[in-house]
Amino acid sequence: MIFYFSGTGNTRWAAIQIGAATQERLINIADYSDYLSADKDIEPFALKEGERLGFVFPVHGWRVPRLVRSFVSRLRLKPFGDGISPDSKPFCYAVCTAGDSIGKTIDTLNKCLQANHQLQAMGISQPDSAYSLIMPESYVGLPFMDVDPSEKEKRKKEKAAQQLKAICEDLRERKTGISHLTEGPLPWFFTHIVGGFFEHVLITDKRFHVVEERCVKCGICANVCPVGDISGGKGKQPVWLHHDDCLTCFSCYHHCPHHAIEFGRQTQKKGQYYYK
C-alpha cells in the first residue's frame, strides 16, 4: 500500500513507478484532505498479507508537507485480517522528492509515525528504509529560486529514473537499514529554523493572485489544486478560499497555460514546470 502526495507531478511519477514494481496499491493522500481539514475520522485501510507500507511525498521547506503529516498522524490500519499474525510488522519505507536537499525531512516523518499510537503498537516508529530523489525544481516562492533550465531538468529526470530503478529493486527485496538521503549542508538548521519560517510565513495562499488580462477562465488551476483551495472552473476566474489548507505547492501557478497566476512579485518572469 503506497500513500502518496504530489503537487507538480514529480512524486506522482515516482509513486506510479514504485507501484508498478511492487504490484501494490496507490492511495492519493490529497483525496482525504476534506476529512483532515474537517477533523473527520478516516476509514481504516486494510493491509493485505505481506503488503508493504510506503510513504511517497515531496519535501516542502525541508519538511514533510503539512497535509502528509496530518494524514500519517491519523492513519489507521487493519493489518490483522486474511491470516496476518498480530505479531507481524509490515515492511515500511519512505521515498521523498526534492529539487535540491531534504535536510532532516525524514526526522519529521518519524515524529508523525511515533505520534500515531496504533502504528507504534505495530512496531512502526520509523521507516525500515528511506530514500530521496532529486527532481526538477518547482519552488519559485523566493527571489533567488526558479525552475531549472531545460537541460538541467532533463539531466535530473534521467538520473532520478536510474536511481528509482535501484530503489524499486530494494523495495521488492524489502531491504532494511537503507538510507540514501541527500540531506545537504546544515540539515538540522534548514529543517528546524528555515523550515519554520517557510511554514509560518511562506506557506500561504494570500499572495496568489490572477493577472486578469491573461486569464482565459479555463478552470485548470482549480482542477489541479490538491486541497481544493481554489473556487473556480471553466468560465470562472479563480478565487483562493483562504481556508488555511493551501500547501503553496505552486501546482496552480505551474499548470496555468497563460502564466496568469502570480505569487506576490516573486514569480514575475519566472518559469513554469510540472512533470510531463
Side-chain angles (χ1 to χ4, degrees):
M1 185 177 294
I2 303 166
F3 295 104
Y4 80 96
F5 167 72
S6 185
T8 53
N10 285 334
T11 310
R12 182 175 182 272
W13 164 78
I16 289 172
Q17 303 308 308
I18 295 169
T22 60
Q23 294 296 294
E24 290 180 346
R25 298 169 286 169
L26 290 172
I27 296 172
N28 187 354
I29 292 173
D31 290 341
Y32 297 89
S33 61
D34 288 345
Y35 290 88
L36 298 173
S37 61
D39 201 26
K40 296 180 181 177
D41 289 335
I42 300 173
E43 192 73 21
F45 297 91
L47 278 176
K48 298 177 182 177
E49 184 172 4
E51 191 171 16
R52 303 163 187 83
L53 177 62
F55 299 100
V56 187
F57 54 87
V59 174
H60 285 184
W62 296 276
R63 298 180 176 190
V64 178
R66 185 170 53 200
L67 175 72
V68 178
R69 298 202 311 264
S70 178
F71 181 87
V72 172
S73 65
R74 295 174 57 187
L75 175 63
R76 297 293 178 267
L77 300 175
K78 294 191 295 185
F80 307 136
D82 300 326
I84 299 177
S85 166
D87 297 327
S88 66
K89 170 186 172 298
F91 173 77
C92 178
Y93 65 89
V95 178
C96 59
T97 64
D100 193 353
S101 61
I102 72 163
K104 291 294 183 181
T105 292
I106 297 302
D107 285 359
T108 66
L109 174 64
N110 293 345
K111 288 181 179 179
C112 296
L113 294 172
Q114 292 159 12
N116 186 315
H117 298 304
Q118 192 214 23
L119 297 183
Q120 278 282 81
M122 295 172 62
I124 302 172
S125 59
Q126 62 184 27
D128 294 303
S129 292
Y131 307 83
S132 62
L133 278 175
I134 302 304
M135 298 290 293
E137 183 64 74
S138 63
Y139 187 78
V140 291
L142 286 172
F144 53 88
M145 300 187 74
D146 200 349
V147 300
D148 293 319
S150 58
E151 280 303 311
K152 186 175 183 179
E153 175 188 319
K154 181 181 178 182
R155 289 195 304 271
K156 279 187 171 182
K157 284 182 176 179
E158 290 173 349
K159 185 175 181 179
Q162 294 174 351
Q163 292 174 330
L164 190 56
K165 285 182 180 180
I167 291 171
C168 287
E169 187 62 31
D170 285 354
L171 298 181
R172 278 197 297 265
E173 297 178 7
R174 303 171 193 267
K175 289 186 177 180
T176 62
I178 308 296
S179 181
H180 292 316
L181 303 172
T182 307
E183 292 190 342
L186 303 174
W188 188 94
F189 173 78
F190 276 100
T191 292
H192 295 284
I193 305 302
V194 183
F197 172 77
F198 261 80
E199 190 151 308
H200 294 102
V201 178
L202 295 178
I203 297 182
T204 175
D205 65 357
K206 294 179 181 178
R207 300 186 185 185
F208 285 109
H209 63 276
V210 178
V211 181
E212 293 187 12
E213 57 267 29
R214 297 183 205 153
C215 181
V216 297
K217 301 179 181 178
C218 62
I220 291 175
C221 56
N223 291 335
V224 300
C225 178
V227 294
D229 186 44
I230 301 175
S231 174
K234 192 169 181 61
K236 298 179 181 179
Q237 186 167 296
V239 176
W240 281 262
L241 299 177
H242 307 312
H243 55 28
D244 295 328
D245 291 334
C246 177
L247 298 167
T248 319
C249 66
F250 287 95
S251 185
C252 56
Y253 165 86
H254 288 296
H255 281 85
C256 179
H258 298 281
H259 209 313
I261 294 173
E262 301 283 10
F263 185 72
R265 297 181 179 180
Q266 308 295 352
T267 51
Q268 292 178 1
K269 299 182 180 180
K270 287 188 178 180
Q272 293 172 289
Y273 167 84
Y274 62 90
Y275 192 93
K276 302 182 184 67

